[in-house]
Amino acid sequence: KIFRSQQQEHKIIFTMSTATKEDPAMAPTCCPPFDPTLYQEAEGIDYKILQWTSKPFIKEGTWCCYYVPLSYGKALTRATKKLEDAGAALPEKDAIVLSDCDSAWYSTMLVSSGKEEVPGAEMVTLSGTFLAKVFEGEYKEMCEWFKATKSLVARLKEENNVKCEDVEKMKMLFYYTTCPKCAKKYGKNYVVVFAKLSDK
């Protein structure tokens, strides 16, 4: 009876341990919660127009699988360390990480910086007018988000609400707001699409 009781006790402990590991709500987080209203012009307007002038970024790179970054965490860690060592890290609410999907297999990563120069880092700047639109869902929906952003810009251009040099050729950057583990914990996977409307 004593042996059976110990077995039952170990089974309970093992079950609790397993549940803790598998339950997203119990998992630790490394990404802060994302507030989608940061990229809304106003209530009922689910996009935001941004103007940047020589906004500095650290340039990194990562392999992708059908436009989804694979070594995102490692690349971000490298850039973050350089920013912190240089005292150039931005507050969480102001920091963004943009992915420029050069192909289905490789992506350039741009990590926002509080300084124009960071030792040991390749720096780039972005200037122009951008439309930011928040989407929520699985990464496999990326192509649909791409099409939806183009349709939105085309409609706004037709209504004379935005100026865009070429809707079909406009550059798009993607901001993955949380890592997969944190997205699973929060129950939301937000991605912000930045469409470049013009160079001014």
Side-chain angles (χ1 to χ4, degrees):
K1 290 183 178 178
I2 295 175
F3 178 73
R4 185 177 298 173
S5 176
Q6 287 177 336
Q7 275 191 321
Q8 291 174 341
E9 182 179 354
H10 287 310
K11 185 177 180 180
I12 292 171
I13 293 173
F14 177 77
T15 303
M16 290 176 65
S17 176
T18 304
T20 301
K21 291 180 180 179
E22 295 179 350
D23 185 359
M26 299 297 290
T29 57
C30 56
C31 307
F34 176 73
D35 180 6
T37 63
L38 292 173
Y39 293 96
Q40 294 179 1
E41 287 284 0
E43 187 175 352
I45 302 178
D46 60 353
Y47 63 86
K48 190 168 186 176
I49 304 298
L50 304 170
Q51 287 188 311
W52 291 341
T53 302
S54 298
K55 186 174 179 63
F57 292 84
I58 284 182
K59 183 178 179 181
E60 282 282 352
T62 176
W63 294 108
C64 297
C65 180
Y66 290 102
Y67 300 102
V68 178
L70 298 177
S71 52
Y72 184 90
K74 291 181 179 179
L76 183 56
T77 297
R78 288 196 301 268
T80 300
K81 187 177 187 309
K82 293 173 184 177
L83 287 169
E84 291 175 346
D85 290 346
L90 292 169
E92 287 183 347
K93 65 180 182 65
D94 299 323
I96 57 173
V97 182
L98 300 177
S99 291
D100 183 355
C101 296
D102 305 313
S103 73
W105 312 110
Y106 188 82
S107 175
T108 298
M109 180 185 290
L110 304 177
V111 184
S112 57
S113 170
K115 294 182 179 180
E116 295 181 359
E117 296 294 333
V118 174
E122 181 180 356
M123 303 298 295
V124 298
T125 59
L126 292 181
S127 297
T129 301
F130 295 80
L131 178 143
K133 174 83 169 81
V134 179
F135 293 91
E136 196 282 318
E138 298 181 15
Y139 292 123
K140 64 182 181 181
E141 300 176 53
M142 291 281 290
C143 289
E144 294 304 315
W145 299 341
F146 187 90
K147 293 176 184 177
T149 303
K150 285 179 64 175
S151 296
L152 172 61
V153 173
R155 177 174 63 81
L156 293 174
K157 181 181 180 180
E158 187 176 343
E159 296 171 352
N160 292 319
N161 288 321
V162 301
K163 293 181 179 180
C164 181
E165 295 166 356
D166 191 331
V167 175
E168 291 302 318
K169 294 182 180 180
M170 67 181 177
K171 192 173 189 63
M172 292 197 197
L173 303 169
F174 297 87
Y175 171 25
Y176 304 98
T177 65
T178 51
C179 69
K181 288 184 179 180
C182 290
K184 187 174 182 180
K185 177 180 174 63
Y186 295 137
K188 295 286 186 179
N189 182 41
Y190 290 111
V191 176
V192 187
V193 179
F194 286 79
K196 187 172 184 179
L197 304 178
S198 68
D199 292 327
K200 299 180 181 179

